[in-house]
Amino acid sequence: MKDLTKILKIGILVDNLKQKNLNGEIISTILNNEKVKIDTIIINQRTKQKNKFVFLLKKYSIKRIVEKLLFKILTKIEKVIFALFFKKFDFQKTNLDEHSIEKIYVNPIETELGLKDEYSKEDIKKIRDRNLDAILRLEGGILKGEILKASKNGVLSFHHGDNDLYRGLPPGFWEVFYRKPTTGFIVQKLNEKLDGGDVIFKGQIPTKFFYYYNQQFIYKQSSKYINNVFEKILVKENPIYLKKKESGNKIFKDPNFLELIKYIVSTYSFIFLKILRKFTLSKEVWSIAFHQGKFDKKKLEKYNIIKNPKNRFIADPFLVKSKDKNYIFVEDYSFKNKRGSISCYKLEKNKEEFLGTVLQEDFHLSFPFVFEFKNKLYMCPETSEKNEIRIYECVKFPNQWKFFKTLINNIYAVDTVLFQEKSTWWLLTNTDKNKIDSLSELSVFYSDEGPLTSNWKSHKKNPVIVDANSARNGGLILDNNSIYRVNQRVGFNIYGQKFDINIIKSIDENNFVEEKISSIKPNFFKKIHGTHHVSYNEDYSVIDFVKRVR
């Protein structure tokens, strides 16, 4: 183990001192990390091309130049669309000239028509003399040669794309082109193989529905994890690299003419359909169905559907058994108020009885997770609008609850579950400090003081999952001394398309391990396209689903 009081000394490799967008965000994140010091700025001094057009003709065919020009035009058009109709992501800007940091100017030796950068012995010596723990490449070509070994941990670099699927460029395009549910990113220790470095950190973020939007989203969301990478280096003499597939997959490049046509037709017809649905007042409506007996995915088509209240829908069902009677607590969403409250149903054989609203606030409530502690019932609904995780105490079951306590303050968190394992209480929740994505992170907190404390400790590996395919909670099941976490899975621009059930194999202060045992797809009722939550006990099982209606 390394000295945990040590400050990591890094260098950053750039082409200029004024940085914005992704790089500005990354640098700002590092500057706010007390455990990391930007010791050196390494600036590439490039020789300007005398005749750029002649250079391009040497590098590309006329056809390829036209294709790249058309792609650049498409990008500019999408940038305008994004600026006009979407909330802009707040990227930090940084002028490195304003910081009193040592600056080294180097002269990259460009090879393969400017694709790769190598450095002279003199430049390498200047960098090595800084005795850096790591170099972070933010700009520059593909690196080769001794620069890759010029610091203790080599050169680190982001790649925006799942390296097992999309090596190359452009970041965020091919996931939209192929309508992939998520867009990956990695931080890797570079070697001389393009996007084939040792992966230190990997994540998956929901794919947005057009290229520029998706690119900006993955840039904003990925940048915050650079500190997780540095933490791994700080606590391990040799960081553990993630497994990767044998890279027989092709290197992607900017789209050709036919790919551009296909992208435009596919993407903009999809956008047109989204707009048309708004004008036709088509909307997604969730519903709940239940069944006597334990959960059995082979019998889902036989479940009894609970009719939604007028102008509302119900979702996120949790079963609670009290005095031999079974109840379902649900999110009760009002289309008129655009806000959820918590309602309750009583189950009797194959019939349900609506007991009314049991908890309402002047902010949105959903995901009414109920747990017992010292013979009292508590509810931990989603209260992300308040930027806190709070619990309510049951005053009179099932329809009277009162605010009891805030467990964690100043946190953007959704869909929280709590459980006890041995003497420790665990809290699993979905977080995002940027407050723009509730699907990609699973964070774990723990307490040795019971569940009603405000003294929750953050897990050492938080977030323990960065993957929109498995992070978002969809329920918690305690059965035969086993703990099962339900996770939602996204589709391409589809929230809650399906879900998995995982058994938690190990959870402690240093680890979180679960294993998927079942997957549920939305194929059990006609015309449904999503399902994202399940709850069951020895008497009943309950599930939700969604369909589009007018």
Side-chain angles (χ1 to χ4, degrees):
M1 294 290 289
K2 287 190 177 182
D3 178 6
L4 297 183
T5 64
K6 181 187 173 183
I7 303 296
L8 202 69
K9 194 167 76 167
I10 71 162
I12 56 174
L13 178 62
V14 296
D15 285 344
N16 65 80
L17 293 170
K18 291 183 178 179
Q19 295 291 332
K20 58 183 181 179
N21 202 272
L22 170 65
N23 290 346
E25 190 79 5
I26 292 171
I27 293 169
S28 177
T29 300
I30 298 170
L31 289 171
N32 288 321
N33 188 343
E34 295 178 352
K35 296 180 181 180
V36 180
K37 176 188 177 184
I38 300 179
D39 176 83
T40 308
I41 303 168
I42 307 163
I43 306 109
N44 288 317
Q45 291 182 304
R46 296 189 180 277
T47 304
K48 290 186 178 180
Q49 298 291 337
K50 292 180 180 179
N51 192 325
K52 195 170 182 179
F53 184 68
V54 172
F55 174 77
L56 287 172
L57 284 176
K58 289 181 180 179
K59 194 172 181 180
Y60 304 110
S61 67
I62 295 291
K63 175 176 175 291
R64 190 61 181 145
I65 291 172
V66 172
E67 288 172 340
K68 291 178 82 67
L69 179 63
L70 289 173
F71 182 63
K72 187 169 278 192
I73 292 169
L74 172 69
T75 304
K76 287 187 178 294
I77 291 171
E78 292 202 341
K79 188 174 181 179
V80 172
I81 292 171
F82 183 73
L84 288 175
F85 300 105
F86 295 85
K87 186 177 179 180
K88 192 176 179 181
F89 299 128
D90 183 24
F91 287 98
Q92 298 297 312
K93 295 179 181 180
T94 306
N95 186 350
L96 293 170
D97 210 21
E98 296 173 353
H99 296 270
S100 55
I101 302 172
E102 179 73 18
K103 298 174 180 65
I104 294 176
Y105 290 87
V106 294
N107 298 284
I109 304 162
E110 297 181 357
T111 60
E112 297 184 31
L113 290 173
L115 285 174
K116 295 188 177 182
D117 286 347
E118 201 166 357
Y119 294 86
S120 68
K121 290 181 179 179
E122 292 78 15
D123 283 342
I124 295 297
K125 185 178 184 306
K126 285 193 288 185
I127 296 169
R128 281 191 171 139
D129 285 348
R130 298 303 299 170
N131 194 28
L132 300 170
D133 291 306
I135 297 169
L136 178 63
R137 185 196 71 169
L138 296 180
E139 292 178 313
I142 300 165
L143 301 182
K144 61 181 291 188
E146 290 300 306
I147 183 68
L148 297 173
K149 297 180 278 186
S151 80
K152 293 174 187 174
N153 290 280
V155 180
L156 310 179
S157 179
F158 274 90
H159 170 67
H160 292 90
D162 186 336
N163 62 312
D164 291 331
L165 299 173
Y166 303 110
R167 297 166 62 212
L169 297 168
F173 177 82
W174 294 105
E175 291 86 353
V176 181
F177 183 87
Y178 288 111
R179 295 198 170 195
K180 295 296 181 181
T182 59
T183 298
F185 70 91
I186 61 170
V187 181
Q188 60 185 329
K189 178 183 175 182
L190 295 177
N191 55 31
E192 298 208 13
K193 192 172 184 180
L194 177 61
D195 292 331
D198 294 316
V199 178
I200 303 174
F201 192 94
K202 186 173 186 176
Q204 297 280 349
I205 307 296
T207 301
K208 298 302 180 183
F209 55 88
F210 64 94
Y211 158 58
Y212 185 78
Y213 184 11
N214 193 45
Q215 184 187 81
Q216 294 300 293
F217 189 63
I218 193 71
Y219 282 174
K220 178 66 178 179
Q221 289 300 87
S222 64
S223 58
K224 61 184 174 179
Y225 298 110
I226 189 60
N227 283 335
N228 296 71
V229 173
F230 291 141
E231 184 67 26
K232 285 188 174 188
I233 293 173
L234 276 168
V235 301
K236 292 280 186 181
E237 286 290 346
N238 297 299
I240 298 172
Y241 300 117
L242 304 180
K243 290 182 180 179
K244 57 184 179 182
K245 294 180 181 178
E246 291 298 321
S247 52
N249 51 311
K250 72 174 185 177
I251 304 296
F252 283 81
K253 300 178 181 179
D254 288 349
N256 61 33
F257 183 73
L258 289 177
E259 288 167 336
L260 275 171
I261 294 297
K262 183 178 178 181
Y263 168 81
I264 291 168
V265 171
S266 173
T267 299
Y268 288 90
S269 61
F270 183 82
I271 292 172
F272 175 76
L273 183 61
K274 284 177 71 72
I275 296 170
L276 185 64
R277 283 172 175 169
K278 282 195 174 184
F279 279 106
T280 58
L281 301 179
S282 174
K283 57 193 176 189
E284 291 190 340
V285 176
W286 288 87
S287 300
I288 287 173
F290 70 95
H291 181 72
Q292 270 193 290
K294 278 194 172 184
F295 179 75
D296 183 350
K297 68 178 184 180
K298 296 178 181 178
K299 296 180 180 179
L300 289 174
E301 68 278 1
K302 298 179 181 179
Y303 277 39
N304 303 295
I305 298 173
I306 298 176
K307 186 178 179 181
N308 280 338
K310 189 176 181 182
N311 296 322
R312 311 206 303 270
F313 72 64
I314 53 176
D316 294 352
F318 282 97
L319 273 166
V320 177
K321 188 173 182 179
S322 178
K323 296 179 180 179
D324 294 325
K325 298 291 185 182
N326 284 279
Y327 303 82
I328 310 174
F329 289 88
V330 301
E331 172 195 353
D332 190 338
Y333 183 85
S334 167
F335 287 108
K336 180 181 178 181
N337 300 326
K338 296 182 179 179
R339 181 184 297 158
S341 57
I342 307 303
S343 292
C344 183
Y345 289 81
K346 181 180 177 182
L347 298 181
E348 194 70 48
K349 293 185 178 179
N350 285 323
K351 294 182 179 180
E352 79 282 351
E353 178 187 354
F354 181 58
L355 301 182
T357 301
V358 300
L359 183 61
Q360 194 162 14
E361 294 278 18
D362 59 358
F363 50 86
H364 177 74
L365 297 173
S366 61
F367 202 82
F369 178 77
V370 177
F371 66 96
E372 184 177 348
F373 181 66
K374 291 186 177 180
N375 298 317
K376 281 190 175 183
L377 288 176
Y378 297 88
M379 183 188 294
C380 183
E382 187 224 301
T383 56
S384 59
E385 277 188 40
K386 294 287 286 183
N387 287 318
E388 60 187 40
I389 298 173
R390 48 163 54 189
I391 57 173
Y392 294 79
E393 180 184 0
C394 183
V395 178
K396 184 179 179 181
F397 190 84
N399 54 5
Q400 288 186 28
W401 301 77
K402 69 175 183 179
F403 172 67
F404 180 77
K405 192 172 191 176
T406 296
L407 300 186
I408 305 177
N409 216 333
N410 299 315
I411 184 172
Y412 178 80
V414 303
D415 294 2
T416 302
V417 297
L418 301 96
F419 60 89
Q420 185 177 15
E421 172 68 0
K422 296 180 181 176
S423 60
T424 303
W425 275 84
W426 298 92
L427 184 154
L428 279 56
T429 192
N430 302 115
T431 54
D432 176 28
K433 74 180 186 71
N434 291 333
K435 301 182 181 181
I436 56 175
D437 174 19
S438 61
L439 299 170
S440 302
E441 285 186 8
L442 178 69
S443 291
V444 175
F445 298 84
Y446 61 95
S447 162
D448 294 319
E449 303 171 16
L452 308 184
T453 181
S454 295
N455 186 27
W456 289 88
K457 298 173 185 176
S458 180
H459 197 280
K460 289 179 181 178
K461 292 187 177 179
N462 271 345
V464 297
I465 295 175
V466 181
D467 187 348
N469 292 302
S470 59
R472 181 73 178 257
N473 287 329
L476 185 81
I477 298 157
L478 308 177
D479 187 18
N480 291 330
N481 297 316
S482 294
I483 303 166
Y484 300 89
R485 186 183 75 92
V486 182
N487 73 265
Q488 302 179 25
R489 293 180 66 93
V490 297
F492 178 73
N493 200 50
I494 299 173
Y495 165 72
Q497 185 180 48
K498 49 190 174 182
F499 66 82
D500 300 328
I501 301 175
N502 313 276
I503 184 168
I504 297 178
K505 305 285 285 186
S506 172
I507 185 167
D508 57 40
E509 296 175 16
N510 300 303
N511 295 290
F512 175 80
V513 180
E514 62 181 8
E515 179 183 313
K516 182 169 72 173
I517 60 168
S518 185
S519 293
I520 311 301
K521 297 179 181 179
N523 55 9
F524 46 91
F525 292 139
K526 291 182 179 179
K527 297 182 179 180
I528 68 172
H529 62 267
T531 177
H532 74 353
H533 192 108
V534 68
S535 179
Y536 68 81
N537 58 24
E538 66 273 18
D539 299 326
Y540 285 94
S541 56
V542 58
I543 194 170
D544 66 5
F545 59 92
V546 65
K547 62 172 64 176
R548 184 166 291 280
V549 300
R550 291 184 182 179

